[in-house]
Amino acid sequence: SQQGEEDPQALSIQEGENATMNCSYKTSINNLQWYRQNSGRGLVHLILIRSNEREKHSGRLRVTLDTSKKSSSLLITASRAADTASYFCALAEGGATNKLIFGTGTLLAVQP
Amino acid sequence: DAGVIQSPRHEVTEMGQEVTLRCKPISGHNSLFWYRQTMMRGLELLIYFNNNVPIDDSGMPEDRFSAKMPNASFSTLKIQPSEPRDSAVYFCASSPYRGWETQYFGPGTRLLVL
């Protein structure tokens, strides 16, 4: 099974700025998901985008998916200190592979 | 809804001891997952149950690890005997869907094996 590769590994920005993180993968997917993990906590699902979708929004989050480039990006607009967390993409290959494969994550620090 | 409940939240044990981690999934969810998270290896899926039946246990590291789901509201992950390299955070997650849809994570059990 493949694993998403996330870029950058770490990102530090000022409150109010936008944060963009990327996830690349190698083979076809059923869907791609983004999760957030605050320090010492469990992962929280943010958004799911299916292979036939190109863009989804949820509040200040915008996710794009380019299946031709095998990549996805997560944009957080007008960031807040509370957005400080690790962000993971998770790949769902679907079919016989009944599971999600999580990437290594991007550590986002939003400075107040 | 209470969310996924895991116990204990922290466990410190000595090498060779048996460790049992517990999970109560969200009511109505028919898929349950056990993950392990370490700095070195990231988040790894250990085992996946659907309707209480193990579907994929290819991530279970070795025979020292075993998992059961006797009913829809309870699952255990057991390590016997435990080793220092088992130290990690163990997460349980559940989903009302198949394995590749949205998952809901518990707070995790932080395990330290001395």
Side-chain angles (χ1 to χ4, degrees):
Chain A
S1 298
Q2 62 180 321
Q3 180 181 47
E5 293 188 14
E6 299 185 58
D7 169 59
Q9 290 187 348
L11 180 61
S12 181
I13 59 174
Q14 296 294 123
E15 221 170 12
E17 294 180 338
N18 295 342
T20 300
M21 49 206 88
N22 305 293
C23 175
S24 60
Y25 57 94
K26 293 187 170 65
T27 63
S28 62
I29 57 171
N30 176 289
N31 68 68
L32 186 148
Q33 303 175 34
W34 288 90
Y35 288 78
R36 182 187 74 227
Q37 184 179 32
N38 291 87
S39 180
R41 303 286 189 94
L43 281 74
V44 175
H45 179 260
L46 295 176
I47 201 162
L48 180 155
I49 187 165
R50 300 198 183 277
S51 59
N52 60 353
E53 298 174 311
R54 291 298 166 257
E55 187 171 311
K56 285 190 85 168
H57 297 256
S58 177
R60 294 183 295 111
L61 306 180
R62 172 178 170 251
V63 168
T64 60
L65 179 64
D66 187 333
T67 53
S68 66
K69 294 182 179 178
K70 293 186 168 54
S71 68
S72 174
S73 66
L74 170 67
L75 168 68
I76 304 173
T77 59
S79 63
R80 305 167 182 168
D83 295 328
T84 295
S86 291
Y87 292 81
F88 295 87
C89 69
L91 307 176
E93 294 179 343
T97 307
N98 296 302
K99 56 191 177 185
L100 293 179
I101 307 297
F102 285 82
T104 52
T106 292
L107 179 59
L108 173 66
V110 181
Q111 310 296 334
Chain B
D1 199 328
V4 175
I5 299 172
Q6 290 187 248
S7 64
R9 294 293 309 277
H10 302 272
E11 177 83 22
V12 180
T13 191
E14 293 188 346
M15 183 173 64
Q17 296 298 305
E18 177 179 294
V19 175
T20 300
L21 311 182
R22 297 173 176 78
C23 175
K24 177 178 169 55
I26 294 172
S27 177
H29 286 193
N30 57 13
S31 291
L32 184 138
F33 314 84
W34 282 100
Y35 289 90
R36 177 172 67 177
Q37 186 177 38
T38 61
M39 288 295 293
M40 291 297 294
R41 300 174 69 91
L43 193 65
E44 304 172 278
L45 177 67
L46 300 177
I47 188 168
Y48 158 42
F49 291 89
N50 184 255
N51 292 324
N52 312 339
V53 175
I55 301 300
D56 185 345
D57 64 355
S58 59
M60 295 286 264
E62 48 198 274
D63 291 346
R64 296 186 297 107
F65 285 70
S66 63
K68 293 182 179 179
M69 191 165 186
N71 56 62
S73 59
F74 183 66
S75 177
T76 59
L77 177 68
K78 187 174 293 187
I79 308 172
Q80 167 63 17
S82 58
E83 297 182 3
R85 60 192 168 118
D86 302 329
S87 297
V89 182
Y90 290 81
F91 289 102
C92 177
S94 70
S95 175
Y97 314 111
R98 294 167 294 184
W100 60 85
E101 300 286 343
T102 302
Q103 297 181 13
Y104 300 82
F105 281 74
T109 295
R110 189 172 296 272
L111 173 65
L112 178 61
V113 183
L114 301 174

